Amino acid sequence: MDYQDKALLDFLLSSGRLDAEKAEALKVEAITTGKSLADLLLERRIISEEDLSKARAKVLNIPYFAESKISVSPDLLTLITVDLAKSYQVIPFQLNKEEGLLSMIMVKPEDLATVDFFQKRTGYKIKSYLTSKENFDNLIGHIYSQSLSGEISGVLKRGKEQTEEYGIRLVTADTISQIIKEPKIVEIVRKILEHAIRLRASDIHIEPQENITRVRYRIDGILEEKLTLDKDYHAALASRIKILSGMKIDEKRIPQDGRFNFSSEYGEVDLRISSLPTVNGEKIVMRLLKKSEKVPTLSELGIRAKALATLEEAIHIPHGIILSTGPTGSGKTTTLYSLLTMINSPKVNIVTLEDPVEYQMNGVNQVQVNPQAGLTFASGLRSFLRQDPNIIMVGEIRDEETTQLAIQASLTGHLVFSTVHTNSSSGALPRLLDMGAEPFLLASSMTAAIGQRVLRKICDNCKSAYVPEQSVVDDIQLVLGKMLDGWLKTNAEKMTQTKMNNSPFMLYKGAGCEKCGNSGYYGRIGIYEVLRVSEKIARLILERADAATIEKQAMEDGMIIMKQDGYLKVLEGITTLEEVIRVAQV
């Protein structure tokens, strides 16, 4: 038994992981069999591989690296090839050029020969971080094989000679036009876009930091860092994207907008580009809109049961206002598109005013706002009324003028769809009153309000059931009330396994796999509440009642609130409790 094994045994004893009797037995077995203490601990399942690695890190006084996802600069990956990384079980992940210090993740940081080898090879001092073999295997596959960093490191390696030739390290007014046409910059932009389409990203953020440029993707509503680049590349990258999207590359003082199309083997997308001057340079955000993507049905969005029936009834009334409410990114516009698709026919004239036009719909007259030319939501809505419309969709009601016009349109026989930024369906009514709507006009024009949020679905490929803690069971029973009893009766046949575990129901989660990028989630679904403006609610509008009073009456009328809809989807194994609480907790 070597010094490290003895130190590890002492640490496990002092931390209470082992008692003296077991420790002595393991010591004897290690001496007689020649096996290491670590191997014996794992064989006997006395400790997990991760806990063993953490214990080794304590003994060696080396930081432990627990993260399963990191973004590594492609420049670092060109320092150490994938073959060397796998052979020595190391991954470079951070470089401090000023201090000449290279941080590396290692499975065996105590191997001084390996540390010395990489110090001589890279020319930097090595700072070691210990991680488990399991985490190392996951990281190296993600970074070198499947990640954006791995792909771009190859581009940078191939373009090293061109870098020196064009002087990419020093971007000036004279060299910028030459640099942005450089094959390496063109290839990096292409890789960033292809990778985003492949991962189902809705947005790409290219953000200049003090010393690096960070690339993040919004996947299933969550921002994930996928790439870091040397800051020296940022100006060329930003200029290349601005040229593609028709912006002025010499104007960096004000925000700009642009657009272009991009096609690859992974699909074709429309890109809406926005640039924003920051203290570190221009931040670029690209919104990806799939051209082939069809408008989802209400059922596909997650609207069902009574909420679905209420909406189907509301959209067949030829006049009135139907509002979709929620924060930015909650899928309000997509819900309105689904409603329009249901009633779109050659017999009706549908006009929409949007910012931007996200889906192109056959048979619908779609207009994009253009404030610079004087085409706003209010001026566009006024013009629409002279176009003999049956149905009008206005992207957002945000001021008194648009509010008044929407109400007048509904009262003169038009069906009006729009969105309002409020936290719940009941909050939409007081909001419109605040924007100058007359209570008696609003009470007679409002038909329904939809409250919604978008949350992530559990990955079907790695979904597993578990028994929830009693506190979780109590919370679900409190939120759902009598609805839970009804659900349990309806799903009685599925509950046989849960009875064996002394729990009224099972919950589900994703373990994480290659398909979902180890997140445990894949795809998104909505949770909804649909408020039908009944006679009682109309009276509350006349009384200028607050949102809480209106919601209470709506629930008495049978409305299921968003949190309840979310909890029902949790019971069905569609999403997790954590997701519902993240997006719907008030």
Side-chain angles (χ1 to χ4, degrees), residues 94-103 123-127:
Q94 206 169 58
L95 177 62
N96 187 326
K97 290 181 179 178
E98 292 179 4
E99 296 180 12
L101 192 65
L102 175 64
S103 298
Y124 297 109
K125 292 183 290 183
I126 303 297
K127 182 178 181 180

mmCIF file of all heavy atoms in Angstrom, residues 94-103 123-127:
data_model
loop_
_atom_site.group_PDB
_atom_site.id
_atom_site.type_symbol
_atom_site.label_atom_id
_atom_site.label_comp_id
_atom_site.label_asym_id
_atom_site.label_seq_id
_atom_site.Cartn_x
_atom_site.Cartn_y
_atom_site.Cartn_z
ATOM 1 N N GLN A 94 -8.526 26.347 -19.647
ATOM 2 C CA GLN A 94 -8.376 27.771 -19.347
ATOM 3 C C GLN A 94 -6.910 28.170 -19.464
ATOM 4 O O GLN A 94 -6.022 27.419 -19.047
ATOM 5 C CB GLN A 94 -8.885 28.052 -17.932
ATOM 6 C CG GLN A 94 -9.361 29.474 -17.705
ATOM 7 C CD GLN A 94 -10.081 29.600 -16.379
ATOM 8 O OE1 GLN A 94 -9.517 29.306 -15.321
ATOM 9 N NE2 GLN A 94 -11.334 30.001 -16.406
ATOM 10 N N LEU A 95 -6.647 29.358 -20.038
ATOM 11 C CA LEU A 95 -5.272 29.825 -20.198
ATOM 12 C C LEU A 95 -5.170 31.279 -19.751
ATOM 13 O O LEU A 95 -5.922 32.134 -20.198
ATOM 14 C CB LEU A 95 -4.838 29.706 -21.665
ATOM 15 C CG LEU A 95 -3.438 30.233 -22.008
ATOM 16 C CD1 LEU A 95 -2.359 29.455 -21.250
ATOM 17 C CD2 LEU A 95 -3.192 30.176 -23.514
ATOM 18 N N ASN A 96 -4.233 31.513 -18.832
ATOM 19 C CA ASN A 96 -3.919 32.866 -18.400
ATOM 20 C C ASN A 96 -2.554 33.221 -18.989
ATOM 21 O O ASN A 96 -1.508 32.814 -18.467
ATOM 22 C CB ASN A 96 -3.888 32.940 -16.870
ATOM 23 C CG ASN A 96 -3.731 34.366 -16.357
ATOM 24 O OD1 ASN A 96 -3.066 35.194 -16.982
ATOM 25 N ND2 ASN A 96 -4.347 34.644 -15.220
ATOM 26 N N LYS A 97 -2.572 33.962 -20.110
ATOM 27 C CA LYS A 97 -1.327 34.270 -20.820
ATOM 28 C C LYS A 97 -0.415 35.173 -19.998
ATOM 29 O O LYS A 97 0.812 35.047 -20.074
ATOM 30 C CB LYS A 97 -1.646 34.929 -22.164
ATOM 31 C CG LYS A 97 -2.269 33.978 -23.178
ATOM 32 C CD LYS A 97 -2.526 34.687 -24.499
ATOM 33 C CE LYS A 97 -3.134 33.741 -25.519
ATOM 34 N NZ LYS A 97 -3.448 34.415 -26.793
ATOM 35 N N GLU A 98 -1.017 36.082 -19.236
ATOM 36 C CA GLU A 98 -0.205 37.007 -18.442
ATOM 37 C C GLU A 98 0.619 36.261 -17.400
ATOM 38 O O GLU A 98 1.781 36.579 -17.174
ATOM 39 C CB GLU A 98 -1.109 38.031 -17.757
ATOM 40 C CG GLU A 98 -1.770 38.996 -18.733
ATOM 41 C CD GLU A 98 -2.676 39.986 -18.028
ATOM 42 O OE1 GLU A 98 -2.723 39.969 -16.775
ATOM 43 O OE2 GLU A 98 -3.329 40.782 -18.731
ATOM 44 N N GLU A 99 0.003 35.272 -16.761
ATOM 45 C CA GLU A 99 0.721 34.497 -15.741
ATOM 46 C C GLU A 99 1.408 33.260 -16.325
ATOM 47 O O GLU A 99 2.130 32.560 -15.620
ATOM 48 C CB GLU A 99 -0.245 34.062 -14.637
ATOM 49 C CG GLU A 99 -0.846 35.225 -13.855
ATOM 50 C CD GLU A 99 -1.793 34.757 -12.767
ATOM 51 O OE1 GLU A 99 -1.807 33.530 -12.481
ATOM 52 O OE2 GLU A 99 -2.510 35.602 -12.194
ATOM 53 N N GLY A 100 1.163 32.990 -17.608
ATOM 54 C CA GLY A 100 1.744 31.801 -18.243
ATOM 55 C C GLY A 100 1.235 30.521 -17.610
ATOM 56 O O GLY A 100 1.995 29.562 -17.434
ATOM 57 N N LEU A 101 -0.077 30.488 -17.294
ATOM 58 C CA LEU A 101 -0.643 29.369 -16.542
ATOM 59 C C LEU A 101 -1.757 28.697 -17.348
ATOM 60 O O LEU A 101 -2.728 29.342 -17.738
ATOM 61 C CB LEU A 101 -1.207 29.886 -15.214
ATOM 62 C CG LEU A 101 -1.590 28.853 -14.163
ATOM 63 C CD1 LEU A 101 -0.367 28.091 -13.667
ATOM 64 C CD2 LEU A 101 -2.300 29.521 -12.989
ATOM 65 N N LEU A 102 -1.612 27.395 -17.591
ATOM 66 C CA LEU A 102 -2.599 26.600 -18.313
ATOM 67 C C LEU A 102 -3.316 25.671 -17.332
ATOM 68 O O LEU A 102 -2.678 24.842 -16.683
ATOM 69 C CB LEU A 102 -1.928 25.777 -19.415
ATOM 70 C CG LEU A 102 -2.821 24.799 -20.194
ATOM 71 C CD1 LEU A 102 -3.889 25.556 -20.977
ATOM 72 C CD2 LEU A 102 -1.992 23.931 -21.137
ATOM 73 N N SER A 103 -4.621 25.842 -17.202
ATOM 74 C CA SER A 103 -5.409 24.979 -16.313
ATOM 75 C C SER A 103 -5.863 23.740 -17.083
ATOM 76 O O SER A 103 -6.383 23.857 -18.197
ATOM 77 C CB SER A 103 -6.619 25.730 -15.770
ATOM 78 O OG SER A 103 -6.218 26.831 -14.994
ATOM 79 N N GLY A 123 4.698 25.045 -23.133
ATOM 80 C CA GLY A 123 5.451 26.224 -22.715
ATOM 81 C C GLY A 123 4.795 26.985 -21.579
ATOM 82 O O GLY A 123 5.202 28.101 -21.262
ATOM 83 N N TYR A 124 3.762 26.392 -20.955
ATOM 84 C CA TYR A 124 3.071 27.033 -19.841
ATOM 85 C C TYR A 124 3.183 26.180 -18.580
ATOM 86 O O TYR A 124 3.326 24.964 -18.650
ATOM 87 C CB TYR A 124 1.577 27.214 -20.159
ATOM 88 C CG TYR A 124 1.285 28.125 -21.327
ATOM 89 C CD1 TYR A 124 0.815 27.604 -22.533
ATOM 90 C CD2 TYR A 124 1.475 29.500 -21.225
ATOM 91 C CE1 TYR A 124 0.528 28.430 -23.612
ATOM 92 C CE2 TYR A 124 1.204 30.332 -22.296
ATOM 93 C CZ TYR A 124 0.737 29.795 -23.494
ATOM 94 O OH TYR A 124 0.472 30.615 -24.549
ATOM 95 N N LYS A 125 3.103 26.860 -17.422
ATOM 96 C CA LYS A 125 2.985 26.120 -16.168
ATOM 97 C C LYS A 125 1.605 25.486 -16.112
ATOM 98 O O LYS A 125 0.632 26.062 -16.588
ATOM 99 C CB LYS A 125 3.180 27.050 -14.967
ATOM 100 C CG LYS A 125 4.590 27.603 -14.814
ATOM 101 C CD LYS A 125 4.703 28.456 -13.554
ATOM 102 C CE LYS A 125 3.927 29.748 -13.717
ATOM 103 N NZ LYS A 125 4.066 30.646 -12.525
ATOM 104 N N ILE A 126 1.507 24.310 -15.530
ATOM 105 C CA ILE A 126 0.234 23.582 -15.492
ATOM 106 C C ILE A 126 -0.394 23.677 -14.109
ATOM 107 O O ILE A 126 0.252 23.412 -13.095
ATOM 108 C CB ILE A 126 0.428 22.086 -15.857
ATOM 109 C CG1 ILE A 126 1.071 21.940 -17.243
ATOM 110 C CG2 ILE A 126 -0.892 21.337 -15.779
ATOM 111 C CD1 ILE A 126 0.247 22.484 -18.384
ATOM 112 N N LYS A 127 -1.690 24.072 -14.081
ATOM 113 C CA LYS A 127 -2.479 24.004 -12.865
ATOM 114 C C LYS A 127 -3.462 22.858 -13.026
ATOM 115 O O LYS A 127 -4.276 22.864 -13.950
ATOM 116 C CB LYS A 127 -3.232 25.316 -12.616
ATOM 117 C CG LYS A 127 -4.044 25.289 -11.316
ATOM 118 C CD LYS A 127 -4.745 26.614 -11.047
ATOM 119 C CE LYS A 127 -5.528 26.541 -9.734
ATOM 120 N NZ LYS A 127 -6.220 27.813 -9.439
#
